[in-house]
Amino acid sequence: MKIYMAASTGFCYGVNRAVTTCERLLKSGVTLYSQGELVHNEEVVKHLRKLGLKVLNNGKFPLKPEQGSAVVIRAHGVPPNIESALKKSFERVIDLTCPIVYNVFRLAEKLEKQGKLLVIFGRKDHAEVNALCGRVKNYVIVEPGYDPSTVYSTILKKATKRIALISQTTMDHREFMDFAEQVKLVVDLEVEIFDTICNVTVKREEEARELATRCAAVVVVGGKHSSNTKKLVTIVEKSGKPAFHVRSPEELPPLQEFESVGIISGTSTPYTQIQRILDYIETKYEGEVIHNG
Ligand code: SF4
């Protein structure tokens, strides 16, 4: 079996910064909390919990956290009201929002001040969209699989013809650009498009398409709630090839029927997790590993 290993694997910059900062603080003895799970990867969260990280959920904060303890804001950010609540509860709040995500927040605030309606291409239940919507008032969220006529009538009901299209940083780039092209065709709207999708995820999308063309099947390694990992699975499936979304070798189906297999990962997947899966496939199926790109 030929095993094609994606060129871009492991943590992206924002996730790496968040994880390594937490590790450093925990190892130095700081009592540390995180607002929600730090990243969408069960293995990483488990590892940080073992080091002592306490995960806060459902917006409930301890009224009296241990003296000297700190709380971290994860890479996707939090809405300002949550940030204020954290500042009331904790002496020390460490903001690990990825700078790329933060720039999108700043851009959205600026566009709103210019009187534009924000049309956000993203998922309503995603932490980053939640954090973004907490910063602006005049917006419409459009999710993949949208019904164009409902979207247009919602936009047209808003009393402005000046609209700015932005996207959650981890959405499918092609889907966003297709959506943007369609909106541009709506007469009577002054449309500005801001491509806010993170380049790291665009690169992985392109590689997922390439691996799906080259291989008989693709293994996608990453957390079950990771938006960008699920997006890679969808891209491979849309190409007509089987995609196996796994977190460990135990979750892999039998692969002997495939002459070639690609391996790719989401941006919150640590390299060690990918390496375990690669080692397993290589040993079990006497694979020849080829590094893509
Ligand atoms: S995918 Fe991009 S925007 Fe998201 S955390 Fe990573 S580097 Fe930041």
Side-chain angles (χ1 to χ4, degrees):
M1 176 192 286
K2 285 193 168 28
I3 307 166
Y4 288 89
M5 188 68 196
S8 19
T9 49
F11 290 157
C12 62
Y13 165 74
V15 170
N16 189 47
R17 174 173 170 260
V19 173
T20 52
T21 304
C22 283
E23 280 176 338
R24 183 171 46 75
L25 289 164
L26 289 163
K27 284 178 184 168
S28 70
V30 173
T31 304
L32 197 64
Y33 294 80
S34 71
Q35 162 52 25
E37 294 192 335
L38 189 74
V39 294
H40 287 143
N41 183 288
E42 300 83 354
E43 190 168 313
V44 176
V45 173
K46 203 169 153 192
H47 159 70
L48 293 171
R49 277 185 193 269
K50 264 193 195 159
L51 288 177
L53 184 71
K54 300 171 199 302
V55 180
L56 302 168
N57 282 316
N58 308 320
K60 286 185 190 147
F61 313 134
L63 288 174
K64 282 192 182 156
E66 277 176 50
Q67 228 186 350
S69 61
V71 63
V72 288
I73 292 177
R74 57 190 172 179
H76 295 133
V78 291
N81 63 327
I82 301 285
E83 194 174 336
S84 306
L86 291 171
K87 282 182 177 158
K88 275 186 199 146
S89 269
F90 292 87
E91 279 168 43
R92 199 172 159 206
V93 177
I94 300 158
D95 190 354
L96 297 177
T97 306
C98 173
I100 295 168
V101 173
Y102 218 82
N103 283 342
V104 180
F105 296 164
R106 293 286 84 86
L107 174 68
E109 287 165 346
K110 187 176 105 186
L111 293 168
E112 189 176 56
K113 275 194 195 129
Q114 292 169 354
K116 289 163 190 161
L117 168 70
L118 287 166
V119 177
I120 304 164
F121 190 67
R123 297 202 179 267
K124 284 180 184 155
D125 60 354
H126 194 276
E128 180 190 318
V129 173
N130 197 17
L132 174 61
C133 293
R135 287 170 162 84
V136 288
K137 290 189 184 72
N138 198 20
Y139 63 84
V140 172
I141 302 174
V142 178
E143 297 196 293
Y146 57 91
D147 167 34
S149 55
T150 312
V151 170
Y152 305 145
S153 64
T154 310
I155 294 174
L156 295 171
K157 267 187 216 150
K158 300 270 181 179
T160 174
K161 298 209 178 301
R162 297 170 69 208
I163 69 167
L165 257 57
I166 61 173
S167 176
Q168 180 186 320
T169 55
T170 50
M171 296 306 282
D172 184 305
H173 192 248
R174 278 194 192 171
E175 281 183 10
F176 174 63
M177 294 319 282
D178 286 349
F179 171 63
E181 286 306 314
Q182 289 184 52
V183 178
K184 275 204 292 193
L185 297 176
V186 181
V187 281
D188 269 2
L189 285 181
E190 197 185 299
V191 185
E192 274 183 281
I193 298 155
F194 297 88
D195 182 356
T196 51
I197 298 181
C198 175
N199 276 340
V200 177
T201 70
V202 176
K203 209 165 161 235
R204 291 194 192 196
E205 271 175 39
E206 286 165 0
E207 234 185 332
R209 282 193 191 94
E210 196 200 323
L211 287 176
T213 310
R214 181 176 289 184
C215 307
V218 180
V219 173
V220 185
V221 189
K224 291 289 175 188
H225 302 294
S226 158
S227 157
N228 74 89
T229 306
K230 287 194 273 186
K231 177 181 70 177
L232 299 176
V233 172
T234 308
I235 287 172
V236 175
E237 285 172 346
K238 275 189 184 166
S239 77
K241 298 282 176 64
F244 305 116
H245 182 177
V246 300
R247 293 165 294 185
S248 62
E250 295 74 39
E251 291 181 347
L252 281 168
L255 298 172
Q256 61 271 18
E257 66 177 286
F258 303 110
E259 274 180 19
S260 58
V261 164
I263 302 182
I264 194 160
S265 72
T267 55
S268 50
T269 312
Y271 192 75
T272 46
Q273 192 174 4
I274 305 154
Q275 188 67 48
R276 272 203 310 279
I277 288 165
L278 173 64
D279 289 348
Y280 175 86
I281 300 176
E282 188 184 5
T283 310
K284 179 152 183 174
Y285 300 101
E286 294 174 8
E288 177 199 349
V289 182
I290 301 153
H291 290 274
N292 207 32

